Amino acid sequence: MLLLLLRHGDAIELGFEDSERPLSALGERQSRIAGRYLKDSGLIPSLIMSSPLLRAVRTAALVGEETGVKNIVPTEYLIPGLGEKVLLDEINAHASPSTLLVGHEPQLRTFLVRLIGESGLQVEMRKGTLVCIDCREPVRRGCGTLRWLLTNEEMEKQGASHSRSSG
């Protein structure tokens, strides 16, 4: 199974309850860049699972628009602080060949480290960062191999080089 992790795009910090913070213009752009990168790379997930917090829901929706993925499922198990085991159970219950999880820090970073079984790994997941993990099924701790991690800037740069070379 291919498991993709995406930290939501940049969100407006002030004037909203945390769960209702919308993406900023930069966050909208970051989300579209991630979606275009997935599409251009042929890594279109069959399922997108998203935290129900507004900034993650919007990130997932924009990625869905860019990739054509309509199967977007909100899950409370991607809210920071909730249990990892139930998230693993939910991923396995969907039995999707490729799943994109859209969530938050530090939960995504912790989840990544546990999936690949590298407790000493230092990873930074800035807003809009995308991670690709190959996982044996069922998905559980230590089942994964980290394939790559790209910041939004790296995705944009690679996307620009794709469009130059294909034009």
Side-chain angles (χ1 to χ4, degrees), residues 51-85:
S51 154
L53 303 187
L54 181 61
R55 58 196 178 274
V57 168
R58 181 67 178 150
T59 296
L62 291 170
V63 169
E65 284 178 23
E66 293 293 328
T67 59
V69 175
K70 306 245 185 282
N71 192 8
I72 302 174
V73 177
T75 176
E76 64 190 36
Y77 304 121
L78 281 166
I79 294 175
L82 294 183
E84 171 188 309
K85 183 181 178 336

PDB file of all heavy atoms in Angstrom, residues 51-85:
ATOM      1  N   SER A  51      -8.248  15.303   8.423  1.00  0.00           N
ATOM      2  CA  SER A  51      -8.702  15.818   9.701  1.00  0.00           C
ATOM      3  C   SER A  51      -9.948  16.662   9.430  1.00  0.00           C
ATOM      4  O   SER A  51     -10.053  17.292   8.377  1.00  0.00           O
ATOM      5  CB  SER A  51      -7.595  16.704  10.300  1.00  0.00           C
ATOM      6  OG  SER A  51      -8.126  17.659  11.183  1.00  0.00           O
ATOM      7  N   PRO A  52     -10.909  16.711  10.361  1.00  0.00           N
ATOM      8  CA  PRO A  52     -12.100  17.529  10.149  1.00  0.00           C
ATOM      9  C   PRO A  52     -11.884  19.029  10.419  1.00  0.00           C
ATOM     10  O   PRO A  52     -12.814  19.814  10.233  1.00  0.00           O
ATOM     11  CB  PRO A  52     -13.114  16.933  11.129  1.00  0.00           C
ATOM     12  CG  PRO A  52     -12.284  16.362  12.222  1.00  0.00           C
ATOM     13  CD  PRO A  52     -11.014  15.893  11.575  1.00  0.00           C
ATOM     14  N   LEU A  53     -10.679  19.424  10.843  1.00  0.00           N
ATOM     15  CA  LEU A  53     -10.417  20.851  11.053  1.00  0.00           C
ATOM     16  C   LEU A  53     -10.410  21.555   9.702  1.00  0.00           C
ATOM     17  O   LEU A  53      -9.877  21.027   8.713  1.00  0.00           O
ATOM     18  CB  LEU A  53      -9.101  21.062  11.796  1.00  0.00           C
ATOM     19  CG  LEU A  53      -8.969  20.363  13.156  1.00  0.00           C
ATOM     20  CD1 LEU A  53      -7.692  20.779  13.867  1.00  0.00           C
ATOM     21  CD2 LEU A  53     -10.174  20.615  14.039  1.00  0.00           C
ATOM     22  N   LEU A  54     -10.988  22.748   9.646  1.00  0.00           N
ATOM     23  CA  LEU A  54     -11.248  23.438   8.383  1.00  0.00           C
ATOM     24  C   LEU A  54     -10.025  23.534   7.471  1.00  0.00           C
ATOM     25  O   LEU A  54     -10.119  23.282   6.273  1.00  0.00           O
ATOM     26  CB  LEU A  54     -11.807  24.842   8.663  1.00  0.00           C
ATOM     27  CG  LEU A  54     -12.156  25.668   7.424  1.00  0.00           C
ATOM     28  CD1 LEU A  54     -13.235  24.987   6.595  1.00  0.00           C
ATOM     29  CD2 LEU A  54     -12.598  27.066   7.829  1.00  0.00           C
ATOM     30  N   ARG A  55      -8.861  23.864   8.016  1.00  0.00           N
ATOM     31  CA  ARG A  55      -7.673  24.039   7.165  1.00  0.00           C
ATOM     32  C   ARG A  55      -7.260  22.729   6.490  1.00  0.00           C
ATOM     33  O   ARG A  55      -6.801  22.726   5.356  1.00  0.00           O
ATOM     34  CB  ARG A  55      -6.521  24.649   7.960  1.00  0.00           C
ATOM     35  CG  ARG A  55      -6.098  23.863   9.186  1.00  0.00           C
ATOM     36  CD  ARG A  55      -5.228  24.737  10.100  1.00  0.00           C
ATOM     37  NE  ARG A  55      -4.818  24.078  11.320  1.00  0.00           N
ATOM     38  CZ  ARG A  55      -5.522  24.032  12.439  1.00  0.00           C
ATOM     39  NH1 ARG A  55      -6.722  24.589  12.499  1.00  0.00           N
ATOM     40  NH2 ARG A  55      -5.038  23.431  13.514  1.00  0.00           N
ATOM     41  N   ALA A  56      -7.458  21.600   7.170  1.00  0.00           N
ATOM     42  CA  ALA A  56      -7.142  20.296   6.575  1.00  0.00           C
ATOM     43  C   ALA A  56      -8.211  19.882   5.565  1.00  0.00           C
ATOM     44  O   ALA A  56      -7.890  19.346   4.503  1.00  0.00           O
ATOM     45  CB  ALA A  56      -6.989  19.245   7.667  1.00  0.00           C
ATOM     46  N   VAL A  57      -9.469  20.127   5.894  1.00  0.00           N
ATOM     47  CA  VAL A  57     -10.564  19.802   4.971  1.00  0.00           C
ATOM     48  C   VAL A  57     -10.385  20.557   3.658  1.00  0.00           C
ATOM     49  O   VAL A  57     -10.525  19.987   2.569  1.00  0.00           O
ATOM     50  CB  VAL A  57     -11.941  20.139   5.609  1.00  0.00           C
ATOM     51  CG1 VAL A  57     -13.060  20.086   4.586  1.00  0.00           C
ATOM     52  CG2 VAL A  57     -12.231  19.206   6.770  1.00  0.00           C
ATOM     53  N   ARG A  58     -10.030  21.833   3.756  1.00  0.00           N
ATOM     54  CA  ARG A  58      -9.839  22.649   2.546  1.00  0.00           C
ATOM     55  C   ARG A  58      -8.616  22.176   1.758  1.00  0.00           C
ATOM     56  O   ARG A  58      -8.653  22.105   0.529  1.00  0.00           O
ATOM     57  CB  ARG A  58      -9.708  24.130   2.921  1.00  0.00           C
ATOM     58  CG  ARG A  58      -9.539  25.036   1.740  1.00  0.00           C
ATOM     59  CD  ARG A  58     -10.770  25.094   0.864  1.00  0.00           C
ATOM     60  NE  ARG A  58     -10.541  26.033  -0.224  1.00  0.00           N
ATOM     61  CZ  ARG A  58     -11.088  25.944  -1.416  1.00  0.00           C
ATOM     62  NH1 ARG A  58     -11.943  24.983  -1.684  1.00  0.00           N
ATOM     63  NH2 ARG A  58     -10.810  26.823  -2.348  1.00  0.00           N
ATOM     64  N   THR A  59      -7.541  21.824   2.463  1.00  0.00           N
ATOM     65  CA  THR A  59      -6.353  21.286   1.789  1.00  0.00           C
ATOM     66  C   THR A  59      -6.737  20.022   1.018  1.00  0.00           C
ATOM     67  O   THR A  59      -6.395  19.875  -0.159  1.00  0.00           O
ATOM     68  CB  THR A  59      -5.237  20.986   2.807  1.00  0.00           C
ATOM     69  OG1 THR A  59      -4.813  22.211   3.421  1.00  0.00           O
ATOM     70  CG2 THR A  59      -4.046  20.311   2.151  1.00  0.00           C
ATOM     71  N   ALA A  60      -7.460  19.115   1.665  1.00  0.00           N
ATOM     72  CA  ALA A  60      -7.887  17.868   1.023  1.00  0.00           C
ATOM     73  C   ALA A  60      -8.776  18.154  -0.187  1.00  0.00           C
ATOM     74  O   ALA A  60      -8.632  17.514  -1.240  1.00  0.00           O
ATOM     75  CB  ALA A  60      -8.620  16.982   2.029  1.00  0.00           C
ATOM     76  N   ALA A  61      -9.687  19.109  -0.063  1.00  0.00           N
ATOM     77  CA  ALA A  61     -10.592  19.449  -1.168  1.00  0.00           C
ATOM     78  C   ALA A  61      -9.807  19.981  -2.371  1.00  0.00           C
ATOM     79  O   ALA A  61     -10.090  19.612  -3.519  1.00  0.00           O
ATOM     80  CB  ALA A  61     -11.627  20.471  -0.715  1.00  0.00           C
ATOM     81  N   LEU A  62      -8.824  20.838  -2.126  1.00  0.00           N
ATOM     82  CA  LEU A  62      -8.027  21.391  -3.225  1.00  0.00           C
ATOM     83  C   LEU A  62      -7.173  20.318  -3.893  1.00  0.00           C
ATOM     84  O   LEU A  62      -7.042  20.292  -5.120  1.00  0.00           O
ATOM     85  CB  LEU A  62      -7.164  22.547  -2.725  1.00  0.00           C
ATOM     86  CG  LEU A  62      -7.953  23.805  -2.328  1.00  0.00           C
ATOM     87  CD1 LEU A  62      -7.055  24.802  -1.608  1.00  0.00           C
ATOM     88  CD2 LEU A  62      -8.608  24.438  -3.547  1.00  0.00           C
ATOM     89  N   VAL A  63      -6.600  19.418  -3.086  1.00  0.00           N
ATOM     90  CA  VAL A  63      -5.844  18.292  -3.661  1.00  0.00           C
ATOM     91  C   VAL A  63      -6.791  17.430  -4.496  1.00  0.00           C
ATOM     92  O   VAL A  63      -6.452  17.002  -5.602  1.00  0.00           O
ATOM     93  CB  VAL A  63      -5.142  17.462  -2.563  1.00  0.00           C
ATOM     94  CG1 VAL A  63      -4.597  16.157  -3.132  1.00  0.00           C
ATOM     95  CG2 VAL A  63      -4.027  18.269  -1.920  1.00  0.00           C
ATOM     96  N   GLY A  64      -7.990  17.201  -3.987  1.00  0.00           N
ATOM     97  CA  GLY A  64      -8.995  16.435  -4.727  1.00  0.00           C
ATOM     98  C   GLY A  64      -9.345  17.087  -6.052  1.00  0.00           C
ATOM     99  O   GLY A  64      -9.467  16.408  -7.077  1.00  0.00           O
ATOM    100  N   GLU A  65      -9.504  18.408  -6.053  1.00  0.00           N
ATOM    101  CA  GLU A  65      -9.792  19.132  -7.301  1.00  0.00           C
ATOM    102  C   GLU A  65      -8.662  18.939  -8.310  1.00  0.00           C
ATOM    103  O   GLU A  65      -8.908  18.691  -9.492  1.00  0.00           O
ATOM    104  CB  GLU A  65      -9.966  20.628  -7.035  1.00  0.00           C
ATOM    105  CG  GLU A  65     -11.275  21.003  -6.413  1.00  0.00           C
ATOM    106  CD  GLU A  65     -11.365  22.504  -6.126  1.00  0.00           C
ATOM    107  OE1 GLU A  65     -10.638  23.301  -6.769  1.00  0.00           O
ATOM    108  OE2 GLU A  65     -12.160  22.880  -5.244  1.00  0.00           O
ATOM    109  N   GLU A  66      -7.435  19.068  -7.855  1.00  0.00           N
ATOM    110  CA  GLU A  66      -6.279  18.970  -8.753  1.00  0.00           C
ATOM    111  C   GLU A  66      -6.079  17.556  -9.293  1.00  0.00           C
ATOM    112  O   GLU A  66      -5.631  17.383 -10.419  1.00  0.00           O
ATOM    113  CB  GLU A  66      -5.006  19.442  -8.053  1.00  0.00           C
ATOM    114  CG  GLU A  66      -4.985  20.922  -7.719  1.00  0.00           C
ATOM    115  CD  GLU A  66      -4.949  21.830  -8.945  1.00  0.00           C
ATOM    116  OE1 GLU A  66      -4.367  21.440  -9.983  1.00  0.00           O
ATOM    117  OE2 GLU A  66      -5.501  22.940  -8.858  1.00  0.00           O
ATOM    118  N   THR A  67      -6.377  16.557  -8.485  1.00  0.00           N
ATOM    119  CA  THR A  67      -6.119  15.162  -8.875  1.00  0.00           C
ATOM    120  C   THR A  67      -7.353  14.459  -9.444  1.00  0.00           C
ATOM    121  O   THR A  67      -7.229  13.380 -10.023  1.00  0.00           O
ATOM    122  CB  THR A  67      -5.634  14.335  -7.663  1.00  0.00           C
ATOM    123  OG1 THR A  67      -6.644  14.380  -6.637  1.00  0.00           O
ATOM    124  CG2 THR A  67      -4.307  14.851  -7.135  1.00  0.00           C
ATOM    125  N   GLY A  68      -8.533  15.042  -9.239  1.00  0.00           N
ATOM    126  CA  GLY A  68      -9.764  14.390  -9.668  1.00  0.00           C
ATOM    127  C   GLY A  68     -10.289  13.377  -8.669  1.00  0.00           C
ATOM    128  O   GLY A  68     -11.263  12.677  -8.944  1.00  0.00           O
ATOM    129  N   VAL A  69      -9.685  13.299  -7.488  1.00  0.00           N
ATOM    130  CA  VAL A  69     -10.130  12.348  -6.463  1.00  0.00           C
ATOM    131  C   VAL A  69     -11.374  12.912  -5.768  1.00  0.00           C
ATOM    132  O   VAL A  69     -11.351  14.014  -5.240  1.00  0.00           O
ATOM    133  CB  VAL A  69      -9.019  12.074  -5.420  1.00  0.00           C
ATOM    134  CG1 VAL A  69      -9.539  11.179  -4.296  1.00  0.00           C
ATOM    135  CG2 VAL A  69      -7.805  11.453  -6.085  1.00  0.00           C
ATOM    136  N   LYS A  70     -12.432  12.133  -5.803  1.00  0.00           N
ATOM    137  CA  LYS A  70     -13.689  12.547  -5.160  1.00  0.00           C
ATOM    138  C   LYS A  70     -13.901  11.843  -3.827  1.00  0.00           C
ATOM    139  O   LYS A  70     -14.723  12.262  -3.029  1.00  0.00           O
ATOM    140  CB  LYS A  70     -14.854  12.241  -6.089  1.00  0.00           C
ATOM    141  CG  LYS A  70     -14.710  12.828  -7.478  1.00  0.00           C
ATOM    142  CD  LYS A  70     -15.756  13.853  -7.751  1.00  0.00           C
ATOM    143  CE  LYS A  70     -15.720  14.385  -9.160  1.00  0.00           C
ATOM    144  NZ  LYS A  70     -14.702  15.347  -9.391  1.00  0.00           N
ATOM    145  N   ASN A  71     -13.162  10.761  -3.599  1.00  0.00           N
ATOM    146  CA  ASN A  71     -13.311   9.958  -2.393  1.00  0.00           C
ATOM    147  C   ASN A  71     -12.508  10.598  -1.253  1.00  0.00           C
ATOM    148  O   ASN A  71     -11.359  10.242  -1.017  1.00  0.00           O
ATOM    149  CB  ASN A  71     -12.843   8.527  -2.669  1.00  0.00           C
ATOM    150  CG  ASN A  71     -13.227   7.563  -1.577  1.00  0.00           C
ATOM    151  OD1 ASN A  71     -13.977   7.906  -0.664  1.00  0.00           O
ATOM    152  ND2 ASN A  71     -12.714   6.354  -1.663  1.00  0.00           N
ATOM    153  N   ILE A  72     -13.135  11.576  -0.578  1.00  0.00           N
ATOM    154  CA  ILE A  72     -12.497  12.302   0.523  1.00  0.00           C
ATOM    155  C   ILE A  72     -13.304  12.034   1.786  1.00  0.00           C
ATOM    156  O   ILE A  72     -14.500  12.313   1.837  1.00  0.00           O
ATOM    157  CB  ILE A  72     -12.410  13.815   0.241  1.00  0.00           C
ATOM    158  CG1 ILE A  72     -11.630  14.068  -1.053  1.00  0.00           C
ATOM    159  CG2 ILE A  72     -11.778  14.546   1.424  1.00  0.00           C
ATOM    160  CD1 ILE A  72     -11.608  15.514  -1.502  1.00  0.00           C
ATOM    161  N   VAL A  73     -12.635  11.467   2.783  1.00  0.00           N
ATOM    162  CA  VAL A  73     -13.304  11.048   4.014  1.00  0.00           C
ATOM    163  C   VAL A  73     -12.705  11.808   5.204  1.00  0.00           C
ATOM    164  O   VAL A  73     -11.519  11.668   5.481  1.00  0.00           O
ATOM    165  CB  VAL A  73     -13.117   9.525   4.234  1.00  0.00           C
ATOM    166  CG1 VAL A  73     -13.740   9.083   5.537  1.00  0.00           C
ATOM    167  CG2 VAL A  73     -13.645   8.736   3.060  1.00  0.00           C
ATOM    168  N   PRO A  74     -13.519  12.616   5.902  1.00  0.00           N
ATOM    169  CA  PRO A  74     -13.000  13.231   7.123  1.00  0.00           C
ATOM    170  C   PRO A  74     -12.931  12.190   8.236  1.00  0.00           C
ATOM    171  O   PRO A  74     -13.784  11.305   8.322  1.00  0.00           O
ATOM    172  CB  PRO A  74     -14.033  14.318   7.450  1.00  0.00           C
ATOM    173  CG  PRO A  74     -15.273  13.916   6.737  1.00  0.00           C
ATOM    174  CD  PRO A  74     -14.880  13.022   5.592  1.00  0.00           C
ATOM    175  N   THR A  75     -11.903  12.291   9.055  1.00  0.00           N
ATOM    176  CA  THR A  75     -11.783  11.377  10.192  1.00  0.00           C
ATOM    177  C   THR A  75     -11.246  12.119  11.405  1.00  0.00           C
ATOM    178  O   THR A  75     -10.240  12.812  11.317  1.00  0.00           O
ATOM    179  CB  THR A  75     -10.897  10.153   9.878  1.00  0.00           C
ATOM    180  OG1 THR A  75     -10.767   9.372  11.083  1.00  0.00           O
ATOM    181  CG2 THR A  75      -9.528  10.540   9.382  1.00  0.00           C
ATOM    182  N   GLU A  76     -11.939  11.960  12.507  1.00  0.00           N
ATOM    183  CA  GLU A  76     -11.514  12.599  13.751  1.00  0.00           C
ATOM    184  C   GLU A  76     -10.172  12.055  14.234  1.00  0.00           C
ATOM    185  O   GLU A  76      -9.517  12.658  15.062  1.00  0.00           O
ATOM    186  CB  GLU A  76     -12.576  12.419  14.826  1.00  0.00           C
ATOM    187  CG  GLU A  76     -12.791  10.979  15.207  1.00  0.00           C
ATOM    188  CD  GLU A  76     -14.004  10.761  16.091  1.00  0.00           C
ATOM    189  OE1 GLU A  76     -15.014  11.447  15.899  1.00  0.00           O
ATOM    190  OE2 GLU A  76     -13.920   9.893  16.973  1.00  0.00           O
ATOM    191  N   TYR A  77      -9.746  10.898  13.694  1.00  0.00           N
ATOM    192  CA  TYR A  77      -8.490  10.288  14.142  1.00  0.00           C
ATOM    193  C   TYR A  77      -7.261  10.997  13.594  1.00  0.00           C
ATOM    194  O   TYR A  77      -6.148  10.634  13.930  1.00  0.00           O
ATOM    195  CB  TYR A  77      -8.484   8.795  13.816  1.00  0.00           C
ATOM    196  CG  TYR A  77      -9.682   8.099  14.411  1.00  0.00           C
ATOM    197  CD1 TYR A  77     -10.580   7.422  13.626  1.00  0.00           C
ATOM    198  CD2 TYR A  77      -9.942   8.179  15.785  1.00  0.00           C
ATOM    199  CE1 TYR A  77     -11.710   6.814  14.170  1.00  0.00           C
ATOM    200  CE2 TYR A  77     -11.049   7.581  16.340  1.00  0.00           C
ATOM    201  CZ  TYR A  77     -11.934   6.904  15.537  1.00  0.00           C
ATOM    202  OH  TYR A  77     -13.040   6.316  16.092  1.00  0.00           O
ATOM    203  N   LEU A  78      -7.482  12.000  12.748  1.00  0.00           N
ATOM    204  CA  LEU A  78      -6.367  12.838  12.295  1.00  0.00           C
ATOM    205  C   LEU A  78      -6.313  14.174  13.041  1.00  0.00           C
ATOM    206  O   LEU A  78      -5.537  15.045  12.694  1.00  0.00           O
ATOM    207  CB  LEU A  78      -6.445  13.071  10.775  1.00  0.00           C
ATOM    208  CG  LEU A  78      -5.933  11.897   9.950  1.00  0.00           C
ATOM    209  CD1 LEU A  78      -6.347  12.037   8.488  1.00  0.00           C
ATOM    210  CD2 LEU A  78      -4.434  11.754  10.077  1.00  0.00           C
ATOM    211  N   ILE A  79      -7.126  14.306  14.085  1.00  0.00           N
ATOM    212  CA  ILE A  79      -7.027  15.479  14.955  1.00  0.00           C
ATOM    213  C   ILE A  79      -5.858  15.230  15.909  1.00  0.00           C
ATOM    214  O   ILE A  79      -5.756  14.147  16.491  1.00  0.00           O
ATOM    215  CB  ILE A  79      -8.329  15.699  15.765  1.00  0.00           C
ATOM    216  CG1 ILE A  79      -9.477  16.054  14.823  1.00  0.00           C
ATOM    217  CG2 ILE A  79      -8.132  16.806  16.800  1.00  0.00           C
ATOM    218  CD1 ILE A  79     -10.823  16.165  15.525  1.00  0.00           C
ATOM    219  N   PRO A  80      -4.964  16.202  16.051  1.00  0.00           N
ATOM    220  CA  PRO A  80      -3.813  15.997  16.950  1.00  0.00           C
ATOM    221  C   PRO A  80      -4.253  15.571  18.344  1.00  0.00           C
ATOM    222  O   PRO A  80      -5.240  16.057  18.878  1.00  0.00           O
ATOM    223  CB  PRO A  80      -3.149  17.376  16.988  1.00  0.00           C
ATOM    224  CG  PRO A  80      -3.546  18.014  15.703  1.00  0.00           C
ATOM    225  CD  PRO A  80      -4.937  17.515  15.416  1.00  0.00           C
ATOM    226  N   GLY A  81      -3.522  14.594  18.875  1.00  0.00           N
ATOM    227  CA  GLY A  81      -3.770  14.131  20.229  1.00  0.00           C
ATOM    228  C   GLY A  81      -4.654  12.897  20.330  1.00  0.00           C
ATOM    229  O   GLY A  81      -4.787  12.320  21.393  1.00  0.00           O
ATOM    230  N   LEU A  82      -5.279  12.496  19.224  1.00  0.00           N
ATOM    231  CA  LEU A  82      -6.115  11.306  19.275  1.00  0.00           C
ATOM    232  C   LEU A  82      -5.296  10.071  18.922  1.00  0.00           C
ATOM    233  O   LEU A  82      -4.225  10.157  18.345  1.00  0.00           O
ATOM    234  CB  LEU A  82      -7.326  11.455  18.357  1.00  0.00           C
ATOM    235  CG  LEU A  82      -8.316  12.543  18.793  1.00  0.00           C
ATOM    236  CD1 LEU A  82      -9.523  12.567  17.879  1.00  0.00           C
ATOM    237  CD2 LEU A  82      -8.775  12.355  20.231  1.00  0.00           C
ATOM    238  N   GLY A  83      -5.810   8.914  19.251  1.00  0.00           N
ATOM    239  CA  GLY A  83      -5.064   7.666  19.197  1.00  0.00           C
ATOM    240  C   GLY A  83      -4.587   7.212  17.835  1.00  0.00           C
ATOM    241  O   GLY A  83      -5.326   7.257  16.858  1.00  0.00           O
ATOM    242  N   GLU A  84      -3.364   6.739  17.809  1.00  0.00           N
ATOM    243  CA  GLU A  84      -2.748   6.199  16.591  1.00  0.00           C
ATOM    244  C   GLU A  84      -3.379   4.866  16.192  1.00  0.00           C
ATOM    245  O   GLU A  84      -3.571   4.603  15.008  1.00  0.00           O
ATOM    246  CB  GLU A  84      -1.255   6.032  16.851  1.00  0.00           C
ATOM    247  CG  GLU A  84      -0.506   5.294  15.799  1.00  0.00           C
ATOM    248  CD  GLU A  84       0.907   5.008  16.244  1.00  0.00           C
ATOM    249  OE1 GLU A  84       1.614   5.928  16.690  1.00  0.00           O
ATOM    250  OE2 GLU A  84       1.296   3.836  16.161  1.00  0.00           O
ATOM    251  N   LYS A  85      -3.707   4.025  17.162  1.00  0.00           N
ATOM    252  CA  LYS A  85      -4.234   2.696  16.852  1.00  0.00           C
ATOM    253  C   LYS A  85      -5.540   2.781  16.079  1.00  0.00           C
ATOM    254  O   LYS A  85      -5.737   2.057  15.099  1.00  0.00           O
ATOM    255  CB  LYS A  85      -4.433   1.868  18.119  1.00  0.00           C
ATOM    256  CG  LYS A  85      -4.914   0.456  17.742  1.00  0.00           C
ATOM    257  CD  LYS A  85      -5.164  -0.429  18.911  1.00  0.00           C
ATOM    258  CE  LYS A  85      -5.672  -1.787  18.561  1.00  0.00           C
ATOM    259  NZ  LYS A  85      -6.362  -1.978  17.313  1.00  0.00           N
TER     260      LYS A  85
END
